[in-house]
Amino acid sequence: MRIYLVVIDESPEASVALRFAARRAVKTGGGVAILTLLPPAEFVPWGGVQATIEEEARQHAEGLVAAAAGTLIAESGLKPTITVREGDASKVIREMIADNSEIAALVLAAAASGPPGPLVSHFAASEAGALSIPVMIVPGSLSPEAIDRLS
């Protein structure tokens, strides 16, 4: 099965990438994998406080992906696989791609205006030729109708 990997965060472009990936998956008989990343934990000298901060970050991330998965299921009928990981984003993405041969493309969206986000910058520049799959960069300014038409 062809899987489209999408990284979800709180940016507006994440929902653009998810919509595009979902439409492509439906049209190609594939699926969607959603990845969200936990921010690196800041060291707090009191262990209990540290654990609470980390747990709150995990709960927030899980809520973010659950909302994205709910939207995906409601709009396309696809049930995504969900991964919540901590670590360097580009490294985690490369590991996921290496570990799952069904991942056929990394779908990212560029910001509607201003500079692209760090993942688009990273995978469209220094890592552009190093991945074993294509990187699809969707313009963040596209309307839902335009995404549907293009995907």
PDB file of all heavy atoms in Angstrom, residues 56-70:
ATOM      1  N   GLU A  56       2.503  16.568  30.066  1.00  0.00           N
ATOM      2  CA  GLU A  56       1.627  17.578  29.468  1.00  0.00           C
ATOM      3  C   GLU A  56       1.949  17.781  27.988  1.00  0.00           C
ATOM      4  O   GLU A  56       1.050  17.926  27.168  1.00  0.00           O
ATOM      5  CB  GLU A  56       1.739  18.904  30.230  1.00  0.00           C
ATOM      6  CG  GLU A  56       1.063  18.872  31.576  1.00  0.00           C
ATOM      7  CD  GLU A  56       1.290  20.138  32.393  1.00  0.00           C
ATOM      8  OE1 GLU A  56       2.034  21.043  31.947  1.00  0.00           O
ATOM      9  OE2 GLU A  56       0.720  20.225  33.498  1.00  0.00           O
ATOM     10  N   ALA A  57       3.222  17.772  27.638  1.00  0.00           N
ATOM     11  CA  ALA A  57       3.624  17.908  26.230  1.00  0.00           C
ATOM     12  C   ALA A  57       3.122  16.726  25.422  1.00  0.00           C
ATOM     13  O   ALA A  57       2.622  16.876  24.303  1.00  0.00           O
ATOM     14  CB  ALA A  57       5.142  18.034  26.114  1.00  0.00           C
ATOM     15  N   ARG A  58       3.230  15.523  25.963  1.00  0.00           N
ATOM     16  CA  ARG A  58       2.752  14.323  25.270  1.00  0.00           C
ATOM     17  C   ARG A  58       1.235  14.384  25.088  1.00  0.00           C
ATOM     18  O   ARG A  58       0.720  14.087  24.010  1.00  0.00           O
ATOM     19  CB  ARG A  58       3.146  13.059  26.017  1.00  0.00           C
ATOM     20  CG  ARG A  58       2.604  11.790  25.342  1.00  0.00           C
ATOM     21  CD  ARG A  58       3.241  10.529  25.864  1.00  0.00           C
ATOM     22  NE  ARG A  58       4.604  10.350  25.447  1.00  0.00           N
ATOM     23  CZ  ARG A  58       4.997   9.965  24.245  1.00  0.00           C
ATOM     24  NH1 ARG A  58       4.111   9.751  23.316  1.00  0.00           N
ATOM     25  NH2 ARG A  58       6.261   9.807  23.969  1.00  0.00           N
ATOM     26  N   GLN A  59       0.511  14.768  26.125  1.00  0.00           N
ATOM     27  CA  GLN A  59      -0.947  14.858  26.023  1.00  0.00           C
ATOM     28  C   GLN A  59      -1.364  15.893  24.977  1.00  0.00           C
ATOM     29  O   GLN A  59      -2.299  15.673  24.209  1.00  0.00           O
ATOM     30  CB  GLN A  59      -1.561  15.185  27.381  1.00  0.00           C
ATOM     31  CG  GLN A  59      -1.529  14.020  28.338  1.00  0.00           C
ATOM     32  CD  GLN A  59      -2.073  14.375  29.707  1.00  0.00           C
ATOM     33  OE1 GLN A  59      -2.413  15.516  29.993  1.00  0.00           O
ATOM     34  NE2 GLN A  59      -2.140  13.382  30.581  1.00  0.00           N
ATOM     35  N   HIS A  60      -0.659  17.016  24.946  1.00  0.00           N
ATOM     36  CA  HIS A  60      -0.957  18.051  23.958  1.00  0.00           C
ATOM     37  C   HIS A  60      -0.726  17.516  22.540  1.00  0.00           C
ATOM     38  O   HIS A  60      -1.544  17.703  21.649  1.00  0.00           O
ATOM     39  CB  HIS A  60      -0.099  19.294  24.206  1.00  0.00           C
ATOM     40  CG  HIS A  60      -0.314  20.373  23.207  1.00  0.00           C
ATOM     41  ND1 HIS A  60      -1.446  21.161  23.188  1.00  0.00           N
ATOM     42  CD2 HIS A  60       0.438  20.780  22.155  1.00  0.00           C
ATOM     43  CE1 HIS A  60      -1.375  22.007  22.180  1.00  0.00           C
ATOM     44  NE2 HIS A  60      -0.230  21.791  21.533  1.00  0.00           N
ATOM     45  N   ALA A  61       0.399  16.841  22.350  1.00  0.00           N
ATOM     46  CA  ALA A  61       0.725  16.279  21.031  1.00  0.00           C
ATOM     47  C   ALA A  61      -0.291  15.217  20.629  1.00  0.00           C
ATOM     48  O   ALA A  61      -0.743  15.181  19.482  1.00  0.00           O
ATOM     49  CB  ALA A  61       2.133  15.689  21.045  1.00  0.00           C
ATOM     50  N   GLU A  62      -0.673  14.363  21.558  1.00  0.00           N
ATOM     51  CA  GLU A  62      -1.654  13.322  21.248  1.00  0.00           C
ATOM     52  C   GLU A  62      -3.007  13.933  20.903  1.00  0.00           C
ATOM     53  O   GLU A  62      -3.704  13.442  20.018  1.00  0.00           O
ATOM     54  CB  GLU A  62      -1.766  12.337  22.407  1.00  0.00           C
ATOM     55  CG  GLU A  62      -0.541  11.454  22.530  1.00  0.00           C
ATOM     56  CD  GLU A  62      -0.523  10.586  23.775  1.00  0.00           C
ATOM     57  OE1 GLU A  62      -1.412  10.747  24.646  1.00  0.00           O
ATOM     58  OE2 GLU A  62       0.388   9.740  23.888  1.00  0.00           O
ATOM     59  N   GLY A  63      -3.381  15.013  21.579  1.00  0.00           N
ATOM     60  CA  GLY A  63      -4.625  15.710  21.253  1.00  0.00           C
ATOM     61  C   GLY A  63      -4.584  16.318  19.855  1.00  0.00           C
ATOM     62  O   GLY A  63      -5.554  16.264  19.106  1.00  0.00           O
ATOM     63  N   LEU A  64      -3.435  16.865  19.507  1.00  0.00           N
ATOM     64  CA  LEU A  64      -3.237  17.451  18.179  1.00  0.00           C
ATOM     65  C   LEU A  64      -3.399  16.399  17.085  1.00  0.00           C
ATOM     66  O   LEU A  64      -4.102  16.599  16.110  1.00  0.00           O
ATOM     67  CB  LEU A  64      -1.840  18.075  18.126  1.00  0.00           C
ATOM     68  CG  LEU A  64      -1.465  18.912  16.934  1.00  0.00           C
ATOM     69  CD1 LEU A  64      -2.333  20.156  16.853  1.00  0.00           C
ATOM     70  CD2 LEU A  64       0.004  19.307  17.044  1.00  0.00           C
ATOM     71  N   VAL A  65      -2.781  15.239  17.276  1.00  0.00           N
ATOM     72  CA  VAL A  65      -2.884  14.183  16.253  1.00  0.00           C
ATOM     73  C   VAL A  65      -4.266  13.563  16.246  1.00  0.00           C
ATOM     74  O   VAL A  65      -4.755  13.204  15.185  1.00  0.00           O
ATOM     75  CB  VAL A  65      -1.873  13.034  16.458  1.00  0.00           C
ATOM     76  CG1 VAL A  65      -1.179  12.685  15.215  1.00  0.00           C
ATOM     77  CG2 VAL A  65      -0.918  13.263  17.508  1.00  0.00           C
ATOM     78  N   ALA A  66      -4.882  13.437  17.391  1.00  0.00           N
ATOM     79  CA  ALA A  66      -6.235  12.881  17.430  1.00  0.00           C
ATOM     80  C   ALA A  66      -7.192  13.777  16.661  1.00  0.00           C
ATOM     81  O   ALA A  66      -8.054  13.290  15.915  1.00  0.00           O
ATOM     82  CB  ALA A  66      -6.693  12.704  18.874  1.00  0.00           C
ATOM     83  N   ALA A  67      -7.055  15.086  16.818  1.00  0.00           N
ATOM     84  CA  ALA A  67      -7.906  16.022  16.076  1.00  0.00           C
ATOM     85  C   ALA A  67      -7.649  15.901  14.577  1.00  0.00           C
ATOM     86  O   ALA A  67      -8.585  15.877  13.767  1.00  0.00           O
ATOM     87  CB  ALA A  67      -7.666  17.454  16.545  1.00  0.00           C
ATOM     88  N   ALA A  68      -6.387  15.808  14.190  1.00  0.00           N
ATOM     89  CA  ALA A  68      -6.046  15.662  12.767  1.00  0.00           C
ATOM     90  C   ALA A  68      -6.592  14.352  12.219  1.00  0.00           C
ATOM     91  O   ALA A  68      -7.143  14.304  11.112  1.00  0.00           O
ATOM     92  CB  ALA A  68      -4.531  15.732  12.577  1.00  0.00           C
ATOM     93  N   ALA A  69      -6.472  13.283  12.996  1.00  0.00           N
ATOM     94  CA  ALA A  69      -6.987  11.983  12.553  1.00  0.00           C
ATOM     95  C   ALA A  69      -8.504  12.019  12.425  1.00  0.00           C
ATOM     96  O   ALA A  69      -9.068  11.470  11.467  1.00  0.00           O
ATOM     97  CB  ALA A  69      -6.562  10.890  13.529  1.00  0.00           C
ATOM     98  N   GLY A  70      -9.164  12.685  13.353  1.00  0.00           N
ATOM     99  CA  GLY A  70     -10.617  12.813  13.280  1.00  0.00           C
ATOM    100  C   GLY A  70     -11.050  13.549  12.026  1.00  0.00           C
ATOM    101  O   GLY A  70     -12.004  13.154  11.347  1.00  0.00           O
TER     102      GLY A  70
END
